[in-house]
Structure formats: C-alpha cells, structure tokens
Amino acid sequence: MTDARRRVPRTDAILAHPRLVAAERVLGRRLVKAAVTAAQERVRAGEIEPEQVAEQAIAGLPANAASLRRVVNATGVIVHTNLGRAPLSEAALGAVRAASGTTDVEFDLETGRRARRGRGVLAALAEAVPAAEAVHVVNNNAAALLLTALALAQGREIVLSRGELVEIGDGFRIPELLASSGARLREVGTTNRTSLRDYTEAIGSETAFVLKVHPSNFRVTGFTSAVEPAELAGIGVPLIVDIGSGLLAPHPLLPGEPDATTVLRAGADLVTASGDKLLGGPQAGLMLGEAGLIERLRRHPAARALRVDKVTLAALEATLRGPEPPVVRALNADQAGLRARAELIAAKVRGAEAVDCPATVGGGGAPGVELASAAVSVPESWAARLRTGDPPVVGRIERGRCLLDLRTVDPGEDELLTAAMLRCSS
C-alpha cells in the first residue's frame, strides 16, 4: 500500500492554481500558503484525496487578510462595545474607500500649499453643533479628557464629584486617567449627593477646572442629588463636561441623556464625547466649546500623539453629513415594524417564534432606558451554532431561549439571519 504522505501534492504545484494565484494578490502569500498546508495535512490524515487539495485550500481561504469577522448583532444592544460599537453607514464606508489611497488630507489643491488637517470634518462638526465656538477631534473620548488635563491642569487641581469617579471599562478609571496627566484630583461631595456648595468651597488658586462626568454606565437612585452644568456655569474656572455617548442634540427617546448642544448652551466651556456611540460614526473623541480653550488643546504637544488618521476623518465627516447611520436607524426603529419582521422570519423556521422584548442603547449610553423591540425566539442550544456560523450571529439568552433581537439587525440582514436559523433547525 502506498504511503498517503507520498501522494501529497507539492506546495508549489498547488500554489500555481489560478484561483490561488488570484487569492495571493488579495490575501498575501502567507495566508494562502497556510490554507494549502492545512489541506495537505488533511491528505496525510486520510480525510481527503490528494486531488482535492486545491479545492479544499480554496474553501479554507479567509474572506480577507484581517482576522476580524463581520458579525450580525442580534443582541438588542444598539451600541455593543464587544462587537465594535457603531457600525458605519454606507456613506462612511464610501468615504473610507476614497480616503484609503492618496488624499488631500493636508493639501490645498487650488493653491498647491499645505492646508489645515481635517478641515472638512471640523466644518461638519461645527455645523452640527452651532453652540460650539470651535471644535477639535482626537482618537477617542478618553484621549479628549487626557488632552484637556495635560493642557490645562498639569501640576494643578481638577475638581469633580465623588459620584462621578467612574470606571469606563476594561479596568480603566477616570480618576487614574486624569492623575496620569500630572493633575491632582480634588474630590467633592459623596457617592450619592453633591451640592453646589461642595464645588464652590473646593475652588481655589490651584483649581484648573471643574469636571462633570456623565455616569453613563450605571445609575444611583434613592437619596441622591447632583449639580447640573447650568448651576456650575460662571463658577470662576472653566467648566468641562464629559457627556460620554456622543449625542449632539436632544433625542425624544432619551430625555435623560445629556447632549452637546444643551450642555454648551447651559454654560459649559468645553464638552467632550465619543464619536462611535450615539453619533454612529468611527471611534473618535469630540471636543466642542470655547475657541480659546480649543486652540490651547489643539496646540498642545500631546495633540499630535492623539490625532486621528485620514480614514477616521473621512468616516466621521460622512457620518455627520450623510444620511442616518445604522445606530440612529436602530434607535428610531418602529416596534410594530420590528414585530412584523420577526413574525415573517419566524414563520419560515421550525422551532422559532416572534416575541416582544426590550432593547437597550448600550455603550454606556442611557442607562436604564428600555426600547420596545421584537425578537425571534429560538432554542437556547442554537446560540453556539449561530455564533460559530458564517456569518456569526450573536443573540442573547433569556429564560432558557435565545432571543435574536431585530432592533439591532439591519433589514438587509434578515435573509442572512433566516438562513443561519434554518441551518440550525435542519
């Protein structure tokens, strides 16, 4: 009997297959060769015949050269941090493709001279929030707070409430972030109650600014009190407000969520926010406020280290200027329409049923707010198969069932979702 290992086709012969040659131009030689090697190992293990190596290698090729995979978010959490927060709009994706090559990011085509970096997105952000005298963009909201502390408070004091000493995820904490800048923290009030007097008594010659942090990922209820930005306006030092979720104007479904426009009009000198949450854009830190402050931040040496790249600038501008991004569409989705979609899908899949359920904003936004939604309920045992399918579908487990919440599933993904469930039911 011939040893199967002697029958394994040579690597160079398989790599010469036209489809693998074409794949190498897109994926690179290393990934294509790895797929060939895996197929050759299957021959050695006796799982496939030698003449099947090329087709198995082709079948084993990754979709792209990156390890990140597209996921269908059926969790009902609109801004899901573990799933990459805001999905980009088609307008943003188009802008990213255009910006991925050589661009005029810092070049004026009319004059042939250097131009202001990000001028398009800065203009779009200023138009979206007219209450801001000036705007700036860094690579995330934590960077915005760090830059503010570095530029304004190094060696001085930042006054903030003990009830706002929040952890922002993955073990990172606001007080530690601020202290890393060389600033000293002056904590006032208690965990549940802080008064205007607490702030005024703490302010002195060493105070750089007062910081208000929206505790966006938790709620304190009961015997509580907090001081609103309007009460702190004119307190004698700059008022910096971190609104967190990136809401630029009030939204009727989120009456308790602070927005940049309202906070600036209430007297804040500077507002910081995230770009990849309720705004629905790429990861970015938005800084909006008084022109003098913004210029100090923009000219600080650390601003260069925290700046965003051309792709982010393009995606953010397209998000601000383009049609509603997926996050906003999901937030505004009509519950009756979601229920109708759920019933249509459930009718095609044995073992599935349409149910009403609550969805949430997520990403630290609007804690405690529930949005009426609808889901396709399937057996809990399907959850793992759905997660490991192609594309992966991620739902949530409730009361022994796997719920696939349609508020976070784009209508264009309904057929993919249905096909994934049919594979589980067969």
Side-chain angles (χ1 to χ4, degrees), residues 2 114 251 270 411:
T2 304
R114 184 171 182 167
H251 193 288
L270 178 70

Side-chain angles (χ1 to χ4, degrees), residues 26-331:
V26 177
L27 300 174
R29 189 174 183 84
R30 182 178 298 179
L31 290 177
V32 174
K33 188 175 179 180
V36 171
T37 301
Q40 290 171 323
E41 288 300 319
R42 295 190 65 188
V43 175
R44 295 185 179 97
E47 297 176 0
I48 63 174
E49 295 299 317
E51 56 270 20
Q52 295 178 294
V53 169
E55 65 180 72
Q56 289 298 314
I58 292 167
L61 292 171
N64 53 62
S67 60
L68 291 177
R69 296 181 64 189
R70 171 194 177 184
V71 172
V72 176
N73 176 13
T75 64
V77 180
I78 295 176
V79 182
H80 199 303
T81 296
N82 301 138
L83 299 182
R85 292 185 176 168
L88 295 180
S89 66
E90 287 298 322
L93 290 174
V96 166
R97 285 190 290 270
S100 62
T102 306
T103 73
D104 59 344
V105 63
E106 289 186 22
F107 188 74
D108 188 321
L109 294 171
E110 291 188 5
T111 65
R113 297 179 179 177
R114 184 171 182 167
R116 173 79 176 272
R117 183 182 180 88
R119 56 200 180 279
V121 72
L122 296 176
L125 185 57
E127 291 168 12
V129 189
E133 290 183 8
V135 298
H136 187 59
V137 177
V138 289
N139 56 17
N140 62 22
N141 194 31
L145 285 177
L146 179 61
L147 179 59
T148 302
L150 285 169
L152 305 181
Q154 200 167 34
R156 301 181 67 197
E157 287 185 349
I158 300 172
V159 175
L160 74 166
S161 169
R162 287 189 174 89
E164 297 171 7
L165 299 175
V166 301
E167 182 173 310
I168 54 179
D170 197 26
F172 291 97
R173 297 173 174 177
I174 289 291
E176 294 170 359
L177 175 74
L178 296 171
S180 72
S181 71
R184 301 187 302 275
L185 304 187
R186 181 73 178 272
E187 302 171 16
V188 299
T190 62
T191 302
N192 60 319
R193 292 180 67 83
T194 302
S195 68
L196 180 59
R197 181 178 175 182
D198 291 323
Y199 286 100
T200 56
E201 290 183 348
I203 291 174
S205 59
E206 288 298 297
T207 305
F209 60 81
V210 168
L211 175 64
K212 284 282 296 177
V213 178
H214 178 49
S216 56
N217 53 8
F218 70 95
R219 296 177 68 188
V220 178
T221 60
F223 186 55
T224 65
S225 68
V227 183
E228 296 301 317
E231 300 175 78
L232 290 168
I235 202 168
V237 295
L239 171 61
I240 315 298
V241 181
D242 169 19
I243 63 170
S245 67
L247 196 62
L248 299 187
H251 193 288
L253 293 178
L254 309 173
E257 188 71 7
D259 67 273
T261 297
T262 300
V263 172
L264 286 168
R265 287 176 176 168
D269 297 288
L270 178 70
V271 168
T272 70
S274 295
D276 58 347
K277 295 183 180 180
L278 287 175
L279 179 60
Q283 177 181 294
L286 314 180
M287 311 181 78
L288 312 101
E290 193 270 323
L293 278 181
I294 293 290
E295 186 62 15
R296 287 180 64 184
L297 300 172
R298 190 179 77 83
R299 299 310 305 170
H300 191 276
R304 174 62 182 245
L306 303 176
R307 79 178 189 180
V308 294
D309 72 327
K310 61 182 181 179
V311 170
T312 302
L313 291 171
L316 183 56
E317 181 178 355
T319 300
L320 289 162
R321 295 195 185 280
E324 284 187 344
V327 160
V328 178
R329 290 203 305 269
L331 183 62

Side-chain angles (χ1 to χ4, degrees), residues 19 23 50-51 54 135 147 244 263 314 350 373 387 408 411-412:
R19 290 183 63 184
E51 56 270 20
V135 298
L147 179 59
V263 172
R350 180 167 48 86
S373 190
R387 287 197 312 272
T408 52

